Amino acid sequence: MTARFSIEFAESAADDLLQVLAWYASQDVPDVGRRLVAAVIERVDQLEMFPDSGRIVPEFDTPWLRELTQPPFRIVYRREEAGVIVVRVWRSERLMDPTLGGNAEQSLPADAPGGH
């Protein structure tokens, strides 16, 4: 029998998903937002069986900070002993800047999901 790992969403990741829903609703296409969020959650589900399936976040090169991609998003998570904690869900174009303590630089419009 294969071990299953726990999956948690940090408040920051849950807020990111809510922002995606809100932005697409503001563009009068709430169904697009719902589909994108559902796809992210479905992608995260693979971590239950394969918690190391994401690549190491290249900006940090730290083995316990990993990411999956579900275009147009990066799903950033911490690999813990018994599971994973999803910490952010950002647009793929957004880069994490390790010199800013985990804040990010980006070139997205301020009103886009994951934008500032």
Coordinates of all heavy atoms in Angstrom, one line a residue, residues 20 29 54 73 86 91 98 109 114:
V20 N -8.1 35.0 -7.8 CA -8.3 34.6 -9.1 C -9.8 34.6 -9.4 O -10.3 35.1 -10.4 CB -7.7 33.1 -9.3 CG1 -8.2 32.5 -10.6 CG2 -6.2 33.2 -9.3
V29 N -16.5 36.9 -16.5 CA -16.4 35.5 -16.9 C -16.0 34.6 -15.6 O -15.0 34.0 -15.6 CB -15.3 35.3 -18.0 CG1 -15.8 35.8 -19.3 CG2 -14.0 36.0 -17.5
G54 N 6.9 18.0 -7.9 CA 7.2 19.3 -8.4 C 8.6 19.6 -8.4 O 9.4 18.9 -7.7
F73 N -0.6 29.2 -14.1 CA -0.1 29.4 -12.7 C 1.1 28.5 -12.3 O 1.3 27.5 -12.8 CB -1.3 29.1 -11.7 CG -2.5 30.0 -11.9 CD1 -3.6 29.5 -12.5 CD2 -2.4 31.3 -11.6 CE1 -4.7 30.3 -12.7 CE2 -3.5 32.1 -11.8 CZ -4.7 31.6 -12.4
V86 N 0.7 24.1 0.5 CA 0.7 25.0 -0.7 C 0.8 26.4 -0.1 O -0.1 26.8 0.7 CB -0.6 24.8 -1.5 CG1 -0.6 25.8 -2.7 CG2 -0.6 23.3 -2.0
R91 N 0.7 33.6 -11.0 CA 0.9 33.6 -12.5 C 2.3 33.1 -12.8 O 3.2 33.4 -12.2 CB 0.6 35.0 -13.1 CG -0.8 35.5 -13.0 CD -1.7 34.9 -14.0 NE -1.2 35.1 -15.3 CZ -2.0 35.0 -16.4 NH1 -3.3 34.8 -16.2 NH2 -1.5 35.2 -17.6
P98 N 14.4 36.0 -4.1 CA 14.8 35.6 -2.8 C 15.5 36.7 -2.0 O 15.5 36.6 -0.8 CB 15.9 34.5 -3.1 CG 16.1 34.6 -4.6 CD 15.0 35.4 -5.2
P109 N -0.3 43.4 -15.1 CA -1.1 44.5 -14.7 C -1.6 44.3 -13.3 O -1.7 43.2 -12.8 CB -2.3 44.4 -15.7 CG -1.9 43.4 -16.8 CD -0.8 42.6 -16.2
G114 N -3.0 37.6 -9.3 CA -1.6 37.4 -8.9 C -0.8 38.7 -9.1 O 0.4 38.8 -8.8

